Amino acid sequence: MDDKSTVEKNAVNDFENITKEQFALMVINNSGSDECDDEKAQKLKKIAEKIAERFMEYKQKAIELLKNAEKLDDLLVRVDEKFKSIPKVGEKLAYIPELALMIRSYVIGDYKDITTVELVAIVAALIYFVSPIDIIPDVIHGAGLLDDAVVAGIVVSWCDEDIKKYMEWRENRE
């Protein structure tokens, strides 16, 4: 296993203590740009670093939001509104409604089988999703949601088992 894969694997295993550099590496690895020249690689690295920096800010906001059910509910309303406004949703963004439902179920006390670390990661990804201040602005047709999709994809990959567990729990309740 190469150094990059080891760093990413360690970061995923300890998402609570993930560094900005580790998250930037995860962004690069999840960008779908496997082969590019040095110039493009440098641009991708800069973009990844900006995305990682923003995600780390949102991770801190998520910790605060989880203490305030009213503000968290406002976030979930904004997530729903933005998701409905997207004409075609990619595979990575398709999980956004499930993530919002999971957080909503947690807030109202119906579902508690999730760790605080995962809650923070999911809420941070949802904040990133609704934020008008993206690294790639959403108004740029075709590319505007790429950074949102990369961040969502990383968090969905990390929380995959918990998302499946939650969806099974929801199905069994209905």
Side-chain angles (χ1 to χ4, degrees):
M1 188 177 279
D2 67 333
D3 287 339
K4 286 183 180 181
S5 298
T6 302
V7 169
E8 184 171 342
K9 184 175 171 116
N10 291 339
V12 168
N13 289 338
D14 190 16
F15 205 81
E16 181 177 22
N17 298 313
I18 192 169
T19 66
K20 183 173 75 170
E21 292 76 18
Q22 290 168 323
F23 196 84
L25 181 59
M26 293 169 78
V27 168
I28 291 167
N29 291 342
N30 284 277
S31 69
S33 300
D34 292 336
E35 294 183 27
C36 52
D37 60 38
D38 286 343
E39 184 180 336
K40 287 181 182 177
Q42 287 303 314
K43 286 180 182 178
L44 178 59
K45 183 179 178 192
K46 285 181 182 179
I47 291 170
E49 288 170 351
K50 288 178 183 178
I51 291 170
E53 183 176 328
R54 184 71 39 84
F55 183 79
M56 292 301 152
E57 291 171 18
Y58 293 160
K59 195 173 157 187
Q60 292 305 309
K61 284 185 178 184
I63 292 168
E64 294 303 313
L65 268 181
L66 284 165
K67 298 174 186 173
N68 185 325
E70 188 175 310
K71 286 185 179 180
L72 189 56
D73 193 52
D74 289 343
L75 169 68
L76 297 175
V77 168
R78 291 190 351 244
V79 167
D80 290 341
E81 289 171 357
K82 181 172 179 180
F83 190 78
K84 289 175 185 172
S85 74
I86 300 170
K88 183 178 177 184
V89 177
E91 179 183 323
K92 293 178 181 179
L93 290 176
Y95 279 97
I96 294 293
E98 282 83 3
L99 297 176
L101 282 172
M102 183 187 292
I103 298 302
R104 190 168 276 129
S105 294
Y106 178 84
V107 168
I108 63 173
D110 285 348
Y111 188 77
K112 295 290 186 182
D113 193 14
I114 185 168
T115 68
T116 303
V117 175
E118 292 159 334
L119 284 170
V120 168
I122 291 169
V123 172
L126 294 176
I127 294 169
Y128 196 100
F129 177 70
V130 299
S131 175
I133 308 168
D134 278 357
I135 302 308
I136 305 172
D138 294 345
V139 295
I140 298 175
H141 184 69
L145 294 172
L146 288 177
D147 58 332
D148 296 345
V150 168
V151 169
I154 290 168
V155 172
V156 165
S157 294
W158 185 69
C159 298
D160 185 53
E161 289 301 314
D162 291 289
I163 295 168
K164 289 176 184 172
K165 206 168 29 170
Y166 171 73
M167 296 311 290
E168 186 177 306
W169 174 83
R170 277 186 51 90
E171 284 179 23
N172 290 334
R173 283 193 59 188
E174 296 171 356

